[in-house]
Amino acid sequence: MKKIVECVPNFSEGRDSETIEAIAEAIRQTPGCTLLDVDPGQSTNRTVYTFVGDPESIIEGALAAARVAREKIDMRNHKGEHPRFGAMDVCPFIPVKGVSMEECAEIAEKFAMAAAEELHVPFYLYEASAKEEYRRKLPDIREGEYEGLPERLTDPRWKPDYGPLEFVPEWGATATGARMFLIAYNVNILGTPNQAHRIALNLREAGRGENEPGRLREVKGMGWFVNEYNVAQVTVNLNDYRVTPIHLLYEEVKHEAKLLRVAVTGSEIVGIVPLESLLMAADYFIEKEQLFIYEEDQKIRLAVERLGLNSISPFIPEKRIIEYIVAEKPDEPLASLSVRDFIEEIGSRSSAPGGGSASAAIAAVGVGLGAMVAKLTYGVRRFEDVQPHMMKVIPGLHELTRELIPMIDADTSAFNEYVEGMRMPRNSEEEKQARFKKMQAGLKTAINVPLTTMRLGNKAWDSLIEIARHGNPASKSDTQVGAKALETGIWGAYQNVLINMVDIEDDVYRRTILKEAEQLMQRAHQKCAEIIAELEKI
């Protein structure tokens, strides 16, 4: 799996377009890094950059950006709404894919070490990279901000982790570390900055102090007025969106605003957002409003509309959701073929694709037909009495169809490990043993693919029975074909399990897998017959 790290440096410059672009270009020009977003703010006089890369490249990208900031930003001239203490104020590293938090903590420390040495400026480590507990939280490190740094640097407790002890007036200091995916989120209110700040104080975890904490955990926030939007904002950082999700913060701001008799006019996400956070919001509104939405793109649209994420600028999911941005095109050469080309490929003078890929495709068609009938029944006025049945089965069948499609290609590539084993040398006893183990592992992989097809297909039977009993009678033949296709696909996958099991020498594994496969096959015969019998009553 490719390792992907996200870096979100915040620079204390949001007004000089030349400097903003120069930093962006430095990131773009770093091999292995992809700049995803640049979000400058006039009132905050701050720009947030978001880019991704592998662990080595991400450090180089952050260094390249810091070099430009060292040359072009002078903190002696900086004023802005946002708390800050450095030209590169904060530079967090976030695990996205194939990377642990511990690895990101090491990346942050390597970056701090290299940047401090080259640029001769102080760096503090925070969050997962912090060496001391009292330095873990960013507000604690940044207390007193830029203006308080000269005095703070004389305190031994606040000696920088890397870089000089003396105050560097044109730079200040930088905090870098590893953290969870932080969501910078602003809710717009038609009110004053004081009203926005009152709401923030009521909600943020720190509240108004130790004796008066706020209601929401893992939330930092304040209120301000954004001149370019002509609105006040409750501006927050959601440190852990699983603890306090976006929708909860939004709903709580609406509640507080109502008490103050001010209007909420949507919200904005600054930078990039995880897919899960928007799906959580969608599920909240679906339950609250008793809606029926199961497709991911429609869920995203619902979340965007209910949270008013288009209120400041268009929210384009493909450019703002991290999983969509870094997604790689599926390696599915067979599933991507036209139906004609796929069939002709099966019929070519080659052993692959063969029965396994065909079985996965047939099973997917069977489940897909069931999904089609359910969707054609749902929403039709004369079938209103069966709507609950269709609402229950549609999401599962829709997702199972999507899960079965990749099995078409997975079956064709299942023998790669086995073939690699066959090609291994066998001159010595050790080489023979290594070759044998590799080939046995390859056979188990080849067995697991059709077995997975059987398991996925098996999940569809109860839903197909519901459709047979309550689906649109005009689609009777579609349900019949779907049931038979699914049974055939499972049967074909079963035959692939059996033929690959012949050379397996692990008796315990053999007995366990054969028992499961036989049970899945028996259930397929039984459920298909049950569906056909049910449909004969129509």
Side-chain angles (χ1 to χ4, degrees), residues 216-232:
L216 302 180
R217 293 171 52 218
E218 297 295 338
V219 176
K220 300 172 185 174
M222 58 183 288
W224 60 28
F225 195 87
V226 183
N227 292 320
E228 57 261 44
Y229 304 157
N230 194 28
V231 295

Side-chain angles (χ1 to χ4, degrees), residues 259-272:
L259 296 177
L260 296 178
R261 298 186 179 182
V262 296
V264 172
T265 58
S267 63
E268 67 168 342
I269 291 170
V270 181
I272 308 301

Side-chain angles (χ1 to χ4, degrees), residues 85-90 121-124 146 149 153 168 171-175:
F85 74 160
M88 174 190 256
D89 189 59
V90 61
V121 294
F123 273 77
Y124 290 94
Y146 170 79
L149 266 178
L153 285 167
V168 183
W171 180 272
T174 299

Side-chain angles (χ1 to χ4, degrees), residues 4 97 321-330:
I4 300 177
K97 183 179 178 183
I321 297 175
I322 184 69
E323 287 85 352
Y324 293 174
I325 296 170
V326 303
E328 298 177 354
K329 190 174 181 180

Side-chain angles (χ1 to χ4, degrees), residues 77-126:
N77 305 319
H78 184 272
K79 298 292 182 184
E81 293 286 338
H82 201 288
R84 81 283 182 271
F85 74 160
M88 174 190 256
D89 189 59
V90 61
C91 186
F93 295 89
I94 301 105
V96 174
K97 183 179 178 183
V99 183
S100 67
M101 186 66 73
E102 290 74 19
E103 287 177 273
C104 281
E106 292 176 8
I107 289 168
E109 187 161 10
K110 288 178 181 177
F111 165 65
M113 190 186 310
E117 182 178 352
E118 178 181 338
L119 305 178
H120 308 292
V121 294
F123 273 77
Y124 290 94
L125 299 174
Y126 81 114

